[in-house]
Amino acid sequence: MAAMRTHTTEHDLRHHGDAEVRDVGGELTDLAVNVRSGTPPDWLRERIAASLTGLAAYPDGRAARAAVARRHGLPEERVLLTAGAAEAFVLLARALPVRCPVVVHPQFTEPEAALRDAGHTVRRVLLRPGDGFRLDPASVPPEADLVVVGNPTNPTSVLHPAKLIDSLARPGRTLVVDEAFMDAVPGEREALAGRTDVPGLVVLRSLTKTWGLAGLRIGYVLAEPEVVAALERAQPLWPVSTPALVAAEECVSPRALAEAEAAALSLAADREHLTAGLGEFDEVRVVEAAEGPFVLARMAGAAEVRARLRGLGFAVRRGDTFPGLGPEWLRIAVRDRVTTNRFLQALDQALTLTATHTPRA
């Protein structure tokens, strides 16, 4: 069973993976940030660069909005382009009349931070490691009029069945599903993007992870036209830049979708290699059935292990800033096999050094 509680401030909700590598340049191999390595591809970089000749004109998002709508088989009035998915969380917190928001944790912390900044009292549903961080719809209080859940969830990498998530929908409730990593799942199974039969559904997508565009800021919202209109009114004028609009149009093209699917299949094999390697360590427990471009691992002395890994040239994401997790958790991004093998060797050293210097009771 999941636990329910009103928000507290014991977690640093503004800590994100980029903090693990900030100010160190290329000194560390980055396993803390979930942006796909080797991106953006050359063809996308060239299209973005070509858009710079049009910067004198104000951004026109009509073509990109139409392209996203076609990609999901939706009318354009159900699409809103945003400066990354993070902007969408701020818009939702500020634009919708919310009385009882609930965030399902552990997950990306920005939704709760945005709700709190907008003056809302947030209630948390904490999924338990003993249950594999699986979603229990019964744990969400019936009075919740806004529910936020990730799928696949950051940082647990758990992919919840779509039927469990859509069972949370009910009249008078906004159901926000963060699908920022869904394009890293082969076939995008369990996706709700494109569904119009779920009342109050809001799906958020990011184009920054798979395509390496974190610095460009581009994402989008899929929702009922009334919700899209309310969020759009809360946006500033021209919220998405011309280069980001060009990137959005390109990243939902048939060519890009085929490339993303191939990358998802490759990532699944690389993730299996990582989890198999982690399984060789008696000290490490990995959350099972990972489906995202990262895995969540539990180990004693994780803070010291993380520090020793930095000394050995690797950055991983601390887990204790996520509600529902403690200092024994680390999130590790999936990389190619060569990088993973190097990391596993470093982890072996870090675990050995940590055990050697841990005082006995």
Side-chain angles (χ1 to χ4, degrees):
M1 291 291 293
M4 248 290 301
R5 63 184 65 174
T6 302
H7 75 68
T8 56
T9 57
E10 75 275 16
H11 295 87
D12 180 2
L13 301 180
R14 296 296 190 187
H15 181 90
H16 300 300
D18 62 309
E20 309 283 354
V21 293
R22 192 180 299 141
D23 300 327
V24 295
E27 297 175 16
L28 298 175
T29 299
D30 182 4
L31 278 68
V33 176
N34 294 318
V35 174
R36 182 164 63 102
S37 59
T39 53
D42 289 341
W43 60 265
L44 179 55
R45 196 190 312 270
E46 291 168 2
R47 284 290 292 116
I48 294 171
S51 74
L52 300 181
T53 60
L55 293 186
Y58 284 96
D60 182 350
R62 289 177 296 177
R65 187 176 189 178
V68 171
R70 287 194 302 272
R71 183 257 195 269
H72 293 287
L74 294 171
E76 293 178 30
E77 58 266 27
R78 281 182 168 265
V79 175
L80 180 68
L81 301 172
T82 59
E87 186 204 6
F89 291 123
V90 174
L91 297 175
L92 288 164
R94 294 178 178 177
L96 299 186
V98 178
R99 299 180 308 279
C100 184
V102 169
V103 179
V104 180
H105 286 290
Q107 77 150 322
F108 184 51
T109 54
E110 205 59 34
E112 180 173 323
L115 285 162
R116 289 170 56 178
D117 287 347
H120 300 290
T121 298
V122 180
R123 299 170 72 179
R124 294 174 178 169
V125 170
L126 301 181
L127 305 184
R128 298 183 183 277
D131 301 327
F133 296 108
R134 298 293 177 182
L135 176 66
D136 176 11
S139 65
V140 177
E143 64 270 23
D145 59 354
L146 183 142
V147 178
V148 185
V149 61
N151 205 36
T153 305
N154 172 19
T156 65
S157 207
V158 171
L159 182 67
H160 303 295
K163 64 181 180 181
L164 283 186
I165 294 180
D166 67 32
S167 71
L168 294 172
R170 60 197 60 196
R173 172 182 289 175
T174 300
L175 175 59
V176 181
V177 185
D178 178 6
E179 291 189 351
F181 295 101
M182 187 61 77
D183 58 358
V185 177
E188 295 196 0
R189 65 186 191 282
E190 312 304 343
L192 290 172
R195 294 273 297 272
T196 59
D197 60 324
V198 182
L201 177 65
V202 176
V203 174
L204 308 185
R205 285 289 182 106
S206 170
L207 296 173
T208 64
K209 312 302 194 282
T210 288
W211 299 109
L213 299 175
L216 196 59
R217 312 308 307 141
I218 180 64
Y220 54 88
V221 177
L222 306 175
E224 294 168 348
E226 297 80 9
V227 173
V228 167
L231 300 182
E232 192 169 18
R233 286 193 296 271
Q235 279 185 312
L237 289 173
W238 311 291
V240 182
S241 70
T242 294
L245 291 170
V246 168
E249 190 173 356
E250 291 295 324
C251 290
V252 297
S253 68
R255 168 189 179 174
L257 296 181
E259 184 170 323
E261 177 67 11
L265 292 169
S266 177
L267 182 141
D270 289 338
R271 184 180 57 241
E272 183 177 351
H273 181 70
L274 172 61
T275 55
L278 292 171
E280 295 295 318
F281 297 102
D282 293 337
E283 307 94 325
V284 179
R285 294 290 180 270
V286 179
V287 175
E288 296 181 355
E291 298 282 355
F294 45 85
V295 299
L296 184 64
R298 189 177 198 171
M299 65 195 75
E304 184 176 351
V305 171
R306 173 173 156 268
R308 293 191 181 280
L309 283 169
R310 291 182 70 85
L312 294 167
F314 289 88
V316 295
R317 171 67 157 90
R318 59 189 285 197
D320 61 342
T321 63
F322 293 100
L325 300 182
E328 70 276 19
W329 294 95
L330 297 174
R331 191 190 69 194
I332 306 163
V334 176
R335 298 291 186 245
D336 61 89
R337 292 193 176 205
V338 172
T339 301
T340 293
N341 289 341
R342 291 175 43 239
F343 166 71
L344 292 171
Q345 291 174 350
L347 179 61
D348 189 17
Q349 295 180 56
L351 289 168
T352 300
L353 290 169
T354 299
T356 300
H357 289 85
T358 299
R360 297 185 178 182

